[in-house]
Amino acid sequence: PTLSINDVTVTEGNAGTVNATFTATLSAASGQPVTVDFKTIDQTATAPDDYTAIDPTPLTFNPGVTSLPVTVVVNGDLLDEANEEFLVELLNAVNATMPGDIDIGTGTITDDDAP
């Protein structure tokens, strides 16, 4: 099967945190466990100010499972700023393939603060 991850958009909020929940998906169920690592990558959004970074972390699809959540914690603030982005990268797949050996989901943090 082929692994992929979607893009997610969340509104940051003024305080506390909100979860950006991506979905890692297998194109078809597998009869054997499929593992892949995921990690976050700064873009215009940076950790730890805008979100909580995730170092490479394993994700395991047990036989028959075709989707799993990948959650990134986004921090709220009162700063008026442009919308910001970070990436979630899937890499090091075992028992599955990905285009170009990685797949990337874009997390967009929508600013909700008045100028």
Side-chain angles (χ1 to χ4, degrees), residues 8-89:
V8 172
T9 299
V10 296
T11 301
E12 69 179 359
N14 293 327
T17 61
V18 62
N19 289 337
T21 303
F22 296 78
T23 303
T25 304
L26 279 176
S27 61
S30 176
Q32 55 190 340
V34 171
T35 60
V36 65
D37 292 334
F38 68 94
K39 68 176 183 176
T40 56
I41 302 171
D42 287 355
Q43 295 294 288
T44 52
T46 58
D49 294 333
D50 299 309
Y51 71 97
T52 302
I54 300 173
D55 291 328
T57 301
L59 189 65
T60 301
F61 293 80
N62 289 321
V65 174
T66 57
S67 66
L68 290 172
V70 174
T71 301
V72 179
V73 177
V74 173
N75 302 321
D77 64 35
L78 295 172
L79 301 173
D80 178 36
E81 55 196 348
N83 293 345
E84 299 174 307
E85 294 182 343
F86 63 92
L87 304 177
V88 174
E89 180 181 68

